[in-house]
Amino acid sequence: MNERIRHLLPNDRLKIFQKEPFYEDAETVLTLLYQPLISIKGIAVYQALWKESAYQQPQTSISHHQMMNTLNMTLDDFYEARKKLEAIGLLQSYKEEGTYRTLYYILQKPYSAQGFFGDPMLSALLEHHIGRDAYQRLKKRLLSDVILPSNAQSVTHSFDDVFTTINPDQMPQEPVVEETDPSAIETKLPLEWLHKMLTQQQIKAQSILTQSNLDFMEKMIKIYDVDFLELEKAVIWAVNEKQQFDRKEFQDMCKDIFYKKHGSVPPRLYSKGQVQSEKQPEQKAQNEEPKTKEEQLIQRFNSISHRELLEDLSASGRASMKEVDMLTTIMEEHGLSQPVMNVLVDYVLKRNQNKLSKNYIETIAAHWSREGISQAKEAMQIAKREHHMYETWKQKKNQNQNQKRQQRSKEVLPKWFQDERKQKKQTSEPTKKPVNQHDTKKKREELEAFIKNYSKTKH
């Protein structure tokens, strides 16, 4: 409030100017795209100034008190909304001191929907504010492409097909390839240092450090809080095998750097006077020397990203971008901090034979999110507990299987059946013994005596 009193009072006059016409979709873009970034109050102030500029006479002015009544808003809220409009690029303010103070507000033309989504800084911030799914739906709805039949062929004539600026009687000259003059580039980045760094890596610096690429880098490092030392790693990572600058790779690396510093909450727009960052206990203790192996492991999980973890575990030193994107998406959706995600990745790789199964990771991530796991130490403890439970269950399962196997081997047949079979075996054994010779002779004598008696009787 003290700051506002020094710069703005209710009796200060204001004049509004609109330099150029707005795009047809200006109101839609302001409501759906700008509003999530600067709040509804910011959009209300902008639209009130916009409507007022259409009817205000060039030589007339109104007081800020009148604008406050129109918006039903305090002057403090108006001033905060004005600052957000200035910071986002929708308003320029000028002050004139005289018998009374006059503020000149020049409305800047909002982006069209195409231009907004084409701006890397605004589009990235919008995605972080509303979420990836809502962002994609909004983009698809506002940027409707013309769909032609699959067999339609282009017959459009190009400029070169129709026009020429050279006299046909003259011989055409070889086109001159102009290289970008480094001195003509405007940037706040350390251009000479970047040029030297890329040259040492045997990368053609002039093809990477173009004006558009440098503008993109400036916006990304501003969003993701990347310092110049971290910028070196991000730039080298973003140069592909064809020595071309891949903007998506650069943004992903900047995102990894941000998460490693600030946790899983994506970067958003906050007022500097309203939000104070609070350090977590683990972040405060990062400067302390780890004593045990567990502390060393925790410090490692706190100091790297999951991309770097996969790079360290890979023989090639490169991580799969598909896996990195999958892990980043899961981390954002379930609100896990970077250290916790590192523990999760390490745990799954050890449990799943160095394979990263999306469904398996997402199940654990959802569980840890519900448990409110926010630090690496907590994640390691719950991972140990779950691993112990798994090993205990596995041991019991093996024991039960062994017992069943032994029972099957011992009790294939009922006991009564085994006893009966044993008894039958014992009774059948005498028949299998060799015949005694004495018994045979005796039987033969008895047979002969019977035959002799039978013959006497007959005679």
Side-chain angles (χ1 to χ4, degrees):
M1 181 175 177
N2 293 333
E3 179 191 0
R4 193 270 304 164
I5 292 176
R6 291 197 305 269
H7 296 90
L8 188 63
L9 295 173
N11 291 333
D12 292 340
R13 313 295 294 180
L14 66 90
K15 290 186 177 182
I16 311 164
F17 300 94
Q18 181 181 340
K19 295 183 64 174
E20 53 185 328
F22 293 172
Y23 294 109
E24 292 183 358
D25 60 350
E27 291 195 10
T28 301
V29 171
L30 287 170
T31 303
L32 298 180
L33 305 183
Y34 280 97
Q35 183 171 295
L37 303 181
I38 60 175
S39 78
I40 191 171
K41 289 184 179 180
I43 298 302
V45 170
Y46 186 85
Q47 289 179 331
L49 295 175
W50 180 14
K51 300 306 179 184
E52 181 67 27
S53 67
Y55 300 102
Q56 190 178 63
Q57 299 298 323
Q59 302 300 324
T60 60
S61 63
I62 62 173
S63 67
H64 282 80
H65 187 270
Q66 184 176 343
M67 182 60 66
M68 290 164 53
N69 292 334
T70 301
L71 291 166
N72 192 20
M73 183 183 296
T74 66
L75 194 57
D76 289 333
D77 290 339
F78 177 89
Y79 183 67
E80 290 298 323
R82 194 194 88 181
K83 290 196 299 182
K84 291 181 179 180
L85 291 171
E86 294 167 351
I88 207 72
L90 292 176
L91 185 67
Q92 290 182 353
S93 302
Y94 298 87
K95 179 178 65 173
E96 180 189 22
E97 296 286 356
T99 54
Y100 50 85
R101 186 162 51 190
T102 302
L103 276 300
Y104 296 91
Y105 296 140
I106 302 178
L107 301 176
Q108 303 299 301
K109 180 167 62 176
Y111 277 118
S112 64
Q114 184 77 34
F116 188 97
F117 286 110
D119 186 279
M121 185 174 183
L122 294 178
S123 58
L125 286 171
L126 179 64
E127 180 179 353
H128 294 318
H129 272 266
I130 66 176
R132 181 173 298 182
D133 293 340
Y135 173 84
Q136 293 296 339
R137 289 195 299 269
L138 198 58
K139 185 177 181 180
K140 184 177 180 180
R141 187 173 67 180
L142 296 182
L143 301 182
S144 55
D145 295 332
V146 177
I147 301 177
L148 298 175
S150 58
N151 59 349
Q153 299 180 353
S154 175
V155 293
T156 306
H157 295 83
S158 66
F159 180 88
D160 294 334
D161 293 337
V162 180
F163 302 108
T164 179
T165 58
I166 303 174
N167 191 328
D169 296 334
Q170 297 178 353
M171 293 294 293
Q173 298 179 355
E174 292 292 331
V176 178
V177 178
E178 297 183 359
E179 295 187 352
T180 305
D181 183 9
S183 61
I185 294 178
E186 296 181 1
T187 181
K188 296 179 181 179
L189 300 178
L191 190 59
E192 294 182 2
W193 174 72
L194 288 173
H195 191 281
K196 182 179 179 181
M197 178 267 296
L198 290 172
T199 304
Q200 291 175 348
Q201 298 291 330
Q202 298 181 349
I203 299 173
K204 191 175 180 181
Q206 291 183 347
S207 62
I208 304 299
L209 303 178
T210 62
Q211 184 68 62
S212 60
N213 285 343
L214 289 171
D215 292 342
F216 179 83
M217 292 180 196
E218 283 189 31
K219 293 179 178 180
M220 289 299 103
I221 67 174
K222 186 180 296 184
I223 294 175
Y224 295 106
D225 189 25
V226 178
D227 58 34
F228 287 161
L229 293 178
E230 296 163 337
L231 174 63
E232 175 183 353
K233 183 177 181 180
V235 171
I236 293 177
W237 177 270
V239 178
N240 58 24
E241 62 275 4
K242 297 180 181 179
Q243 293 207 355
Q244 298 173 340
F245 183 74
D246 191 324
R247 295 191 175 189
K248 185 180 184 303
E249 294 287 342
F250 182 82
Q251 182 178 358
D252 288 342
M253 177 56 77
C254 292
K255 189 183 293 186
D256 287 350
I257 293 171
F258 179 88
Y259 287 142
K260 187 165 63 176
K261 286 182 177 180
H262 306 289
S264 61
V265 179
R268 297 176 179 175
L269 294 179
Y270 303 100
S271 298
K272 289 186 176 180
Q274 295 178 351
V275 178
Q276 295 180 353
S277 60
E278 297 181 358
K279 294 185 178 180
Q280 297 180 354
E282 288 190 1
Q283 293 175 333
K284 293 180 180 180
Q286 281 183 356
N287 296 328
E288 298 179 2
E289 190 68 23
K291 299 177 181 179
T292 64
K293 290 184 178 180
E294 182 179 357
E295 291 178 352
Q296 293 175 357
L297 192 58
I298 291 174
Q299 187 182 60
R300 179 169 180 263
F301 287 142
N302 288 335
S303 60
I304 64 173
S305 64
H306 53 268
R307 180 200 298 267
E308 293 171 320
L309 178 61
L310 294 178
E311 289 175 354
D312 293 342
L313 297 175
S314 174
S316 63
R318 300 284 290 183
S320 167
M321 288 310 304
K322 185 177 181 181
E323 291 180 341
V324 172
D325 290 342
M326 175 194 69
L327 295 174
T328 302
T329 302
I330 293 175
M331 184 176 70
E332 291 177 353
E333 289 179 349
H334 295 282
L336 299 181
S337 65
Q338 183 63 74
V340 171
M341 195 66 196
N342 293 336
V343 176
L344 174 55
V345 173
D346 182 74
Y347 174 67
V348 171
L349 288 174
K350 290 178 179 177
R351 279 280 306 272
N352 203 32
Q353 300 178 346
N354 287 324
K355 297 177 183 178
L356 292 176
S357 172
K358 181 180 179 181
N359 293 335
Y360 186 35
I361 295 173
E362 201 157 19
T363 300
I364 300 176
H367 175 216
W368 289 9
S369 178
R370 290 191 297 269
E371 292 291 329
I373 305 300
S374 61
Q375 299 180 6
K377 186 175 182 179
E378 296 174 342
M380 291 173 63
Q381 289 174 350
I382 193 173
K384 288 179 182 178
R385 187 166 65 248
E386 291 181 352
H387 180 69
H388 177 71
M389 292 172 60
Y390 172 78
E391 291 296 330
T392 303
W393 170 82
K394 186 176 180 182
Q395 186 177 2
K396 288 183 178 180
K397 182 180 179 182
N398 292 335
Q399 290 177 354
N400 293 334
Q401 289 178 346
N402 292 334
Q403 291 175 357
K404 290 179 180 179
R405 196 178 296 113
Q406 292 175 1
Q407 290 175 358
R408 284 197 298 268
S409 62
K410 290 181 179 180
E411 299 182 3
V412 176
L413 296 174
K415 186 177 180 180
W416 63 268
F417 185 83
Q418 291 181 1
D419 294 341
E420 183 177 345
R421 186 173 64 176
K422 186 177 180 181
Q423 186 177 3
K424 286 183 178 180
K425 184 178 180 181
Q426 291 176 353
T427 55
S428 63
E429 284 180 357
T431 60
K432 295 181 180 178
K433 292 182 180 180
V435 179
N436 194 322
Q437 293 181 358
H438 177 72
D439 294 340
T440 305
K441 184 178 179 180
K442 185 177 180 182
K443 288 182 178 180
R444 186 182 295 115
E445 290 176 352
E446 291 177 354
L447 180 61
E448 289 177 354
F450 174 77
I451 294 174
K452 187 182 289 185
N453 294 329
Y454 178 77
S455 299
K456 288 180 179 181
T457 306
K458 189 176 181 181
H459 294 291

